[in-house]
Amino acid sequence: MNQSTQISTAFTILTCIFFLLSPEQTIAQSKVQQQRDTVKILPKSEWKGVEGKPYKQQVPVQITVHHEGGKLLTINDDARQRLKNIQTWGMGPDRKWADVPYHLLIAPDGTVLEGRNPLTVGETNTEYDPTGHLLICFLGNYNQQKLDNNLLKVLTKLLADQCIKYGISPQKISTHRDHSTQTTCPGEDIYAYFKNGYIVKEVEGLLKKK
Ligand SMILES: [Zn+2]
């Protein structure tokens, strides 16, 4: 390679780099980098969770909201112990799952806890395929308990954070029962806020402010 060939090769490479890092792309990347989560997610170590086992990979393209169902969980109960129990049961002989079935969990006091890695597919006991879903679950039973203003704020802010993080439209937020006829999940109280359009509208409003 003579000198002029070297210069022309270098020029070609630089031109390629310039097009790869076009201004629009750089702006988009910097927006993502600047975006900070508005809701703090406590790591697994906070509830003494063990690492999940390797499982099918995914990039979330929609978000589905759940409740745990079964037992009530009040603000005075130990939400972290409840989550630890879910993991022990789910990874045990009953289910043999790779981890907790859900990616993010919300305690009755509004604390958000890390679950399964969002880049791995979640789990379900019903007939829908959760591939591509980011699963957010309220601990407790919302057929019997109710969301308060704090929980509604946490949920909508968390949803907005995740929409930005994965480039998901608020229109792609739904609930478990929208995908399955075998369940009333996420419970009557939570579902009411989806049915009347409140949640999606609030998330759209939060995204406009960013
Ligand atoms: Zn569910």
Side-chain angles (χ1 to χ4, degrees), residues 67-74 77 82 85 139-142 144-145:
H67 74 155
E68 186 195 346
K71 268 198 287 182
L72 288 180
L73 188 72
T74 73
D77 292 328
R82 175 71 68 89
N85 295 348
L139 292 165
N141 186 333
Y142 285 80
Q144 293 163 48
Q145 52 195 107

Side-chain angles (χ1 to χ4, degrees), residues 64-68 102 124 126 128 137 175-177 183 185-186:
T64 314
V65 175
H66 299 254
H67 74 155
E68 186 195 346
Y102 311 104
T124 180
T126 59
Y128 85 108
C137 178
T175 69
H176 188 175
R177 71 153 86 171
T183 183
C185 178

